[in-house]
């Protein structure tokens, strides 16, 4: 049954339901907005390569989830759902991450017709040998395009340094080689296993009617309720990185780097939310825009405004990272570790912690303006069984001591791997 | 629909307010409008970054950061944009609305005051901008200019602009050149700052729940010491309206990349004499701006000639760029196919799906922008530059009325000016 949850403090509410087929849906009303957004996602991504089908473990090549995403837009009679949605003026798209594939559109007109099509094409596979072969060419181009991006190279350099065997090591889109073995049968199988309603969430945001949305989902989606498939991400890995350094030369104007460390994985529910918020707050205290360390490093020219930090939790792994452009990445890492040690030893000063926490509060409020952000976070929360709209309550309950403990545990020299992309042939003349 | 309020509040200072209660955050931007010029581009580009480093009251980044944290993480970011031949520099702030904060009071007022301080009371030493900040931001600017090569798609587009507008204002990069950046001194930047602050036309934009009268009072307060004795007119952008007859220019460059980038620059000539903005938007969406466009459906989907191919019109200069990612060997094929597609638009060979899809995509884009504070800000800045009489929200109904003939006519005015190709090192094409 549709139930309304209200969050007075942040001025939001949400209608939620879990349908008999296991689909979890959430409608976030936004009165006064003309645009509307729908986001239909499956808890299946690039890292879900080995899984149980009937009683057998199946292994699939890198890039299937992403390939499937491309092919799902095909509907019978050489029609394409993306063209139909676009023809109605909807801005439709899809993306594949290591733990999720999502299909979404934003529109200002014909919302329910568009939603009907979204639910239909995502739940109805249609692949032919020809169309799969043609897509191999298109995706090979996409893979080549990202291979020229230094940010992509530095990111996978870090992931491969951190992890020894986990499938997150391979790019979500796979490689030109790995996608060659994909055929219609494989796509049908993966669709059957992972696009079951119980493995999916539907999020809609805007001035929309929750009852109409639920009825559409009930009518269009399959009735069966299979439990989501078991998957295997390989052996559990050490706390230590696989290797401490990765380096590559590319056509860049200034060297870029990304350093990172593995953190606790496998959490779910509110524990996961709490851990993520603690991690983000700890990193913000240590090296965020409002921290003394950032100001010092920026003033010395060690980092510039491309410097950032991040915390990511996906497919059985979680890690922290920080990076950007720098002439001396090793020095940045040393300074970060030194400052972490200082905070761990002397404790995080309460007044300083309180103002960083306040900034994080404002950041969460700001996120509620963005339909994309709401859809994505509600979906992630749905897969991991917590309530995204309680983020601020959890954030307020985190203490300076929680942050200190996080830094003590994860910001240590032996845990930190560093990936660097340097300029080919030294400096380039522009 | 939101209420829009527009008023000149001081000499050369124009305020636009969009009152909207649906947003969780408000935004406030203060933008100095300056003529894009090779001599001053690099100085303009680094100035907001220098001013953001410290004020008389809050002399360094750390004290500014502490203030912003206590205001619930208000963001005040240096903003630098190239709009036609105008370089827009200033600050863009967004902040949570007081209603959603436990102890938040007057966040808008505090934000406006802090931007005012950054613009008017920067940290100085001996009457000049601080040497430490100028030196460090000059180095940052230099590394930003060098880093323009990192994103090959953006880089290729920038190289096309440079070759197409060599010697013209529009050919000047948003960040200025390495050479000019290297020459900036404390003395030259301070002098430039003082001149700019007393002469530049200023656009202030606010979107949020506050009443326009209240916003006006706050902004007047925060800019009360702004010198306004010698205000220049709003700078203008020269839109090229002549029919382009010069031979097409070609340039191919090699780099260690795995995918080629093809960029083509067109001049829209006569179509810009009395431009019909709704028709221009529909034309771009039909040709290469939408998923239902000629370029997407044919060059990418039907012929698999590229991974992406899209067009973009800059109405502030009267040009169109086509941008595509291709295999090195597909250069000739892609080049002629893109031209063939433009030819078919010129001949009015536009399917109903292409026409309707284009119109609807444009209408969705307009309405969606009106639902985002940042989108509104950009629309109203463009409106002020073009001196458009219509409100952005009025454009949507006009888009529905655009005909195939109007679209074909714009296509027939488009003349290819330059072609740039970024290819791999071992490619002999």
């Amino acid at each position: 049954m549709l139930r309304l949850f209200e969050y007075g403090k942040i001025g939001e509410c949400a209608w939620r339901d879990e349908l008999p087929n296991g689909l979890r849906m959430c409608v976030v009303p936004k009165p006064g907005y003309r645009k509307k957004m729908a986001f239909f996602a499956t808890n299946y991504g690039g890292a879900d390569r080995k899984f149980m089908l009937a009683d057998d473990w199946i292994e699939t090549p890198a890039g299937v989830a992403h390939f499937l995403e491309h092919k799902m837009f095909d509907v019978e009679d050489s029609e394409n759902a993306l063209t139909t949605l676009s023809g109605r003026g909807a801005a439709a798209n899809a993306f594949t991450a290591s733990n999720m594939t999502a299909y979404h559109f934003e529109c200002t007109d014909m919302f329910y017709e568009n939603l009907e099509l979204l639910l239909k094409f995502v739940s109805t596979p249609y692949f032919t040998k020809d169309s799969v072969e043609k897509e191999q060419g298109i995706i090979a181009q996409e893979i080549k395009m990202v291979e020229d991006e230094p940010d992509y190279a530095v990111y996978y350099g870090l992931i491969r340094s951190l992890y020894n065997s986990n499938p997150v090591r391979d790019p979500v889109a796979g490689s030109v080689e790995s996608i060659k073995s994909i055929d219609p049968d494989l796509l049908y199988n993966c669709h059957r296993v992972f696009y079951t309603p119980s493995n999916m969430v539907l999020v809609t945001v805007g001035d929309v009617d929750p009852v109409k949305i639920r009825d559409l989902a009930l009518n269009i989606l399959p009735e069966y309720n299979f439990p989501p498939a078991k998957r295997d991400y390989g052996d559990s890995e050490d706390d230590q990185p696989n290797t401490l350094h990765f380096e590559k030369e590319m056509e860049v104007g200034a060297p870029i780097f990304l350093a990172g460390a593995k953190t606790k994985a496998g959490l779910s529910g509110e524990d996961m939310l709490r851990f993520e918020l603690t991690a983000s707050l700890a990193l913000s205290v240590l090296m965020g825009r409002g921290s003394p360390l950032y100001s010092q490093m920026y003033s010395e020219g060690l980092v510039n405004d491309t410097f950032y930090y991040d915390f990511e939790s996906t497919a059985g792994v979680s890690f922290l990272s920080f990076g950007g452009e720098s002439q001396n990445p090793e020095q940045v890492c040393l300074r970060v570790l030194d400052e972490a040690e200082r905070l761990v030893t002397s404790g995080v000063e309460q007044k300083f912690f309180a103002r960083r926490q306040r900034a994080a509060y404002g950041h969460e409020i700001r996120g509620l303006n963005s339909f994309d952000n709401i859809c994505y976070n509600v979906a992630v929360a749905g897969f991991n069984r917590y309530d995204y709209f309680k983020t601020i309550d959890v954030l307020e309950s985190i203490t300076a001591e929680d942050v200190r403990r996080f830094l003590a545990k994860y910001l240590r020299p032996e845990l930190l791997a560093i990936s660097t992309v340097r300029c080919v042939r030294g400096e380039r003349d522009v | 629909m939101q209420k829009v309020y527009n008023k000149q509040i001081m000499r050369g200072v124009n305020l636009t307010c969009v009152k909207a209660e649906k947003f969780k955050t408000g935004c406030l931007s203060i933008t100095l409008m300056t003529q894009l010029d090779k001599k001053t581009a690099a100085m303009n580009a680094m100035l907001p970054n220098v001013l953001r480093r410290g004020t008389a009251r809050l002399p360094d980044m750390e004290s500014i950061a502490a203030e912003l944290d206590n205001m619930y993480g208000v963001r005040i970011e240096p903003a630098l944009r190239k709009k036609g031949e105008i370089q827009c520099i200033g600050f863009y702030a967004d902040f949570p609305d007081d209603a959603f904060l436990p102890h938040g009071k007057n966040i808008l007022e505090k934000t406006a005051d802090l931007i005012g301080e950054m613009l008017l009371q920067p940290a100085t030493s001996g009457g000049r901008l601080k040497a430490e900040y100028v030196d460090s931001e000059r180095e940052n600017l230099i590394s930003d200019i060098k880093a323009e090569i990192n994103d090959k798609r953006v880089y290729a587009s920038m190289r096309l602009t440079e070759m197409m507008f060599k010697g013209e204002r529009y050919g000047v990069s948003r960040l200025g050149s390495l050479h000019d950046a290297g020459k900036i001194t404390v003395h030259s930047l301070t002098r430039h700052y003082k001149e700019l602050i007393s002469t530049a036309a200023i656009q202030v934009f606010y979107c949020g729940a506050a009443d326009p009268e209240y916003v006006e009072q706050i902004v007047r307060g925060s800019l009360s010491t702004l010198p306004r004795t010698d205000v220049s007119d709003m700078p203008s952008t020269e839109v090229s309206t002549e029919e382009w007859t010069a031979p097409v220019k070609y340039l191919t460059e090699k780099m260690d990349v795995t995918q080629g980038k093809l960029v083509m620059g067109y001049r829209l000539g006569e179509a810009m004499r009395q431009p019909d903005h709704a028709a221009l938007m529909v034309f771009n969406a039909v040709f290469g701006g939408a998923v239902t466009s000629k370029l997407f459906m044919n060059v990418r989907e039907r012929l698999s000639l590229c991974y992406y191919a899209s067009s973009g019109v800059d109405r502030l200069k009267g040009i169109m760029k086509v941008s595509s990612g291709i295999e090195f060997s597909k250069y000739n094929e892609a080049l002629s196919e893109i031209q063939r597609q433009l030819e078919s638009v010129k001949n009015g060979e536009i399917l109903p799906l292409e026409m309707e899809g284009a119109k609807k995509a444009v209408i969705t884009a307009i309405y969606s922008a009106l639902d985002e504070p940042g989108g509104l800000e950009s629309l109203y800045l463009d409106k002020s530059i073009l001196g458009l009489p219509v409100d952005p929200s009025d454009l949507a109904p006009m888009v529905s009325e655009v005909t195939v003939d109007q679209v074909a006519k714009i296509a027939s005015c488009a003349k290819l000016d330059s072609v740039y190709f970024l290819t791999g090192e071992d490619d002999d094409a």
Side-chain angles (χ1 to χ4, degrees):
Chain A
M1 211 183 68
L2 273 166
R3 276 185 58 201
L4 180 66
F5 296 77
E6 292 185 79
Y7 311 90
K9 190 154 57 174
I10 55 172
E12 295 290 339
C13 62
W15 290 94
R16 289 202 179 86
D17 198 359
E18 182 164 334
L19 305 186
N21 59 14
L23 178 84
R24 274 156 293 152
M25 57 169 282
C26 177
V27 179
V28 183
K30 285 279 183 181
Y33 280 83
R34 195 189 278 254
K35 69 173 175 184
K36 301 165 177 69
M37 182 167 179
F39 186 95
F40 191 26
T42 164
N43 187 7
Y44 169 53
D48 297 306
R49 304 243 304 269
K50 187 174 175 188
F51 53 88
M52 189 83 100
L53 178 62
D55 283 330
D56 294 321
W57 283 105
I58 307 279
E59 287 217 45
T60 57
V64 178
H66 174 258
F67 204 102
L68 199 49
E69 172 222 308
H70 272 232
K71 289 326 294 165
M72 285 316 297
F73 284 95
D74 286 1
V75 288
E76 253 176 297
D77 301 326
S78 68
E79 292 278 313
N80 181 290
L82 184 64
T83 313
T84 311
L85 286 167
S86 306
R88 295 172 185 167
N93 213 333
F95 67 84
T96 309
S98 42
N99 60 347
M100 175 195 298
T101 312
Y103 303 81
H104 53 92
F105 69 82
E106 192 179 289
C107 68
T108 53
D109 190 26
M110 299 179 76
F111 174 76
Y112 300 100
E113 289 89 337
N114 292 336
L115 179 62
E116 188 176 342
L117 178 56
L118 175 74
L119 295 168
K120 263 189 195 149
F121 85 79
V122 175
S123 59
T124 318
Y126 175 74
F127 317 118
T128 65
K129 198 163 162 285
D130 283 353
S131 74
V132 168
E133 273 169 17
K134 188 178 164 194
E135 203 65 30
Q136 273 154 347
I138 292 174
I139 293 179
Q141 277 293 318
E142 182 178 347
I143 291 171
K144 284 187 188 172
M145 181 167 73
V146 292
E147 280 174 356
D148 282 341
E149 288 171 13
D151 289 340
Y152 172 91
V154 84
Y155 178 81
Y156 277 103
L158 176 66
I159 299 286
R160 291 184 160 233
S161 302
L162 288 177
Y163 297 97
N164 181 39
S165 60
N166 188 290
V168 291
R169 281 172 55 84
D170 293 313
V172 168
S175 65
V176 174
E177 262 322 293
S178 78
I179 61 169
K180 279 187 184 154
S181 60
I182 294 175
D183 60 23
D185 276 351
L186 180 60
L187 295 176
Y188 278 113
N189 274 334
C190 290
H191 186 274
R192 190 160 59 231
V193 173
F194 291 110
Y195 283 63
T196 62
S198 66
N199 196 41
M200 301 184 76
V201 296
L202 173 65
V203 190
T204 46
V205 184
D207 200 353
V208 294
D209 177 358
V211 176
K212 253 175 135 165
I213 292 168
R214 185 197 52 193
D215 291 349
L216 275 176
L218 280 173
N219 286 334
I220 295 167
L221 299 179
E223 283 174 19
Y224 57 73
N225 186 345
F226 298 149
K230 264 195 208 151
R231 12 186 131 192
D232 182 0
Y233 300 121
D235 299 335
S236 72
E237 300 202 17
D238 300 341
D239 294 342
Q240 260 89 25
N242 178 33
T243 163
L244 292 176
H245 293 280
F246 167 86
E247 265 197 48
K248 185 176 179 175
E249 288 196 338
M250 288 179 87
E251 298 269 11
V252 290
I256 59 170
F257 80 101
L258 189 66
K262 293 186 227 187
T263 55
K264 184 155 75 183
L267 294 170
S268 68
E270 206 167 290
D271 291 344
M272 178 177 175
L273 177 62
R274 173 174 302 277
F275 186 70
E276 293 202 0
L277 291 170
T278 306
S280 296
L281 200 48
L283 296 172
S284 131
V285 160
L286 176 61
M287 58 185 148
R289 291 292 151 111
S291 69
L293 178 66
Y294 175 76
S295 297
Q296 287 154 17
M297 293 196 298
Y298 185 99
S299 301
E300 293 166 28
L302 199 52
V303 299
N304 59 23
D305 64 1
T306 61
F307 186 76
Y308 70 100
Y309 64 82
D310 195 16
F311 175 79
E312 199 176 329
S313 175
T314 181
V317 301
S318 91
F319 58 94
L320 64 89
S321 62
F322 56 92
E325 290 169 16
S326 175
Q327 294 296 336
N328 195 346
E330 289 77 16
Q331 186 62 25
V332 177
C333 291
L334 287 177
R335 295 283 291 274
V336 166
L337 290 169
D338 280 354
E339 176 68 359
E341 195 185 332
R342 189 188 70 79
L343 289 166
V344 169
T345 316
S346 61
V348 180
E349 196 221 338
Q350 184 52 42
K351 205 174 146 198
F352 173 59
F353 174 78
R355 77 164 164 89
R356 296 267 67 200
Q357 196 173 27
R358 235 178 199 225
Y361 192 109
H363 175 81
E364 292 301 333
I365 295 287
R366 179 182 289 125
L368 298 170
N369 248 3
S370 157
F371 286 23
D372 291 303
N373 172 68
I374 292 174
C375 283
Y376 176 78
N377 281 300
V378 169
V380 170
F383 294 145
N384 294 292
R385 306 272 172 186
Y386 62 83
D387 184 350
Y388 165 63
F389 294 109
K390 289 201 173 138
T391 300
I392 278 189
D393 299 323
V394 176
L395 178 68
E396 284 185 305
S397 72
I398 293 168
T399 65
E401 178 55 20
D402 294 335
V403 159
R404 196 193 68 83
R405 276 203 297 263
F406 179 91
L407 295 176
K409 190 155 183 201
Y410 300 111
L411 267 296
R412 292 167 26 181
E414 68 275 20
L415 300 182
L416 198 67
I418 174 167
S419 161
T420 312
V421 170
R422 298 195 189 275
C423 317
V424 68
R425 296 176 296 227
E427 293 254 317
R428 193 183 171 90
D429 293 324
V430 179
Chain B
M1 190 86 301
Q2 292 111 337
K3 282 210 187 66
V4 183
Y5 167 97
N6 196 302
K7 189 177 176 186
Q8 179 171 331
I9 56 167
M10 298 166 74
R11 263 193 83 190
V13 181
N14 186 64
L15 170 69
T16 303
C17 278
V18 177
K19 183 170 163 67
E21 274 154 24
K22 64 189 174 189
F23 300 122
K24 286 277 171 345
T25 56
C27 92
L28 177 71
S29 73
I30 301 189
T31 309
L32 278 58
M33 312 296 283
T34 75
Q35 195 74 64
L36 183 61
D37 189 293
K38 189 182 173 314
K39 289 200 291 288
T40 52
M43 281 198 284
N44 284 336
M46 72 179 272
L47 188 58
N49 294 306
V50 172
L51 300 179
R52 177 69 175 68
R53 291 292 294 271
T55 71
R57 179 175 68 93
L58 304 167
D60 51 37
M61 285 170 75
E62 231 183 299
S63 50
I64 292 177
E67 181 101 344
L68 293 173
D69 276 1
N70 283 321
M71 290 152 70
Y72 287 88
V74 170
R75 279 191 302 208
I76 301 181
E77 296 296 330
L80 170 67
R81 284 171 281 190
K82 172 175 164 181
K83 295 256 183 194
E85 294 175 335
I86 299 171
Q87 200 181 11
C88 307
I89 63 168
F91 295 100
Y92 180 98
D94 70 345
F95 38 88
D97 193 282
D98 288 355
F100 306 107
L101 301 174
H103 310 286
K105 289 287 165 290
N106 310 324
I107 299 275
L108 167 62
E109 188 172 357
K110 290 176 191 161
T111 304
D113 286 349
L114 189 45
I115 297 179
E117 278 179 62
M118 288 173 182
L119 277 174
L120 302 168
Q121 285 99 40
T124 52
S125 158
R128 290 183 186 165
L129 296 167
K130 278 183 109 169
E132 185 196 340
Y133 296 165
V134 173
D135 291 342
S136 124
E137 293 305 332
R138 185 182 47 240
E139 291 316 303
N140 284 336
L141 176 62
I142 288 171
S143 89
D144 285 352
I145 294 172
K146 286 183 178 169
E148 283 180 326
I149 198 175
N150 292 10
D151 185 332
K152 304 300 179 283
R153 191 168 171 165
V154 176
Y155 177 75
S157 170
M158 194 184 83
R159 293 291 288 145
L160 176 92
T161 307
E162 281 172 6
M163 71 179 278
M164 190 164 162
F165 297 94
K166 202 174 167 72
E168 287 183 60
R169 273 188 181 141
Y170 194 73
V172 175
S173 151
R174 186 177 74 96
L175 296 176
S177 72
L178 265 190
H179 178 74
D180 294 324
K183 288 193 307 192
I184 298 171
T185 63
V186 172
H187 183 70
S188 66
L189 192 68
T190 304
R191 201 176 51 195
H192 183 65
Y193 159 70
K194 286 186 174 160
E195 189 192 323
L196 207 55
I197 207 76
S198 53
T199 58
I202 294 177
Q203 294 287 339
V204 183
F205 178 85
Y206 167 78
C207 166
D211 288 323
E213 293 75 16
Y214 174 68
V215 178
E216 180 184 338
Q217 178 201 328
I218 280 172
V219 174
R220 274 177 192 275
S222 69
L223 295 180
S224 62
T225 60
L226 181 72
R228 290 281 92 178
T229 44
D230 207 9
V231 179
S232 314
D233 290 336
M234 174 94 167
S236 61
T237 179
E238 192 195 317
V239 176
S240 37
T241 58
E242 295 308 308
E243 188 180 343
W244 196 251
T245 51
V248 180
K249 301 187 281 274
Y250 294 89
L251 176 64
T252 296
E253 289 186 322
K254 292 189 174 192
M255 214 185 264
D256 181 14
V257 292
T258 52
Q259 189 187 69
K261 306 286 177 203
L262 169 64
V263 195
M264 301 158 72
Y266 290 85
R267 301 214 184 219
L268 297 177
E270 269 181 281
M272 298 308 296
R273 269 185 209 159
Q274 279 174 328
D276 179 334
H277 292 280
L280 270 172
M281 290 161 98
V282 175
F283 157 70
N284 182 55
V286 164
F287 177 53
V291 174
T292 51
S293 70
K294 295 276 183 198
L295 293 184
F296 190 91
M297 294 295 284
N298 296 299
V299 185
R300 181 187 136 119
E301 293 293 303
R302 187 169 56 80
L303 299 166
S304 303
L305 274 174
C306 62
Y307 180 65
Y308 66 86
S310 64
S311 66
V313 166
D314 186 348
R315 56 182 179 165
L316 297 171
K317 185 60 194 169
I319 59 150
M320 173 175 72
K321 277 188 196 174
V322 172
S323 191
S324 177
I326 58 173
E327 277 183 48
F328 306 139
S329 60
K330 298 274 176 68
Y331 172 75
N332 287 319
E333 229 179 312
L335 189 63
S336 51
E337 187 57 35
I338 289 167
Q339 295 180 89
R340 190 170 313 140
Q341 293 303 326
L342 183 62
E343 201 65 26
S344 74
V345 179
K346 198 186 289 182
N347 297 335
E349 296 156 16
I350 302 169
L351 303 170
L353 171 76
E354 293 170 336
M355 192 66 187
E356 285 314 299
K359 286 183 183 179
K360 285 178 177 161
V362 170
I363 291 170
T364 305
I366 293 172
Y367 284 138
S368 292
L370 297 175
D371 269 347
E372 285 160 23
L376 282 161
E377 196 258 358
S378 185
L379 282 176
Y380 281 97
L381 195 62
D382 281 6
K383 175 173 147 66
S384 72
I385 292 171
L386 288 164
L388 280 183
V390 295
D391 198 71
S393 58
D394 297 334
L395 262 178
M398 295 160 72
V399 167
S400 328
E401 305 297 317
V402 174
T403 64
V404 168
D405 283 350
Q406 284 174 288
V407 170
K409 187 146 181 281
I410 293 173
S412 67
C413 296
K415 295 283 169 352
L416 185 59
D417 177 300
S418 299
V419 177
Y420 174 83
F421 186 45
L422 181 66
T423 187
E425 307 234 275
D426 36 355
D427 180 59
D428 297 326

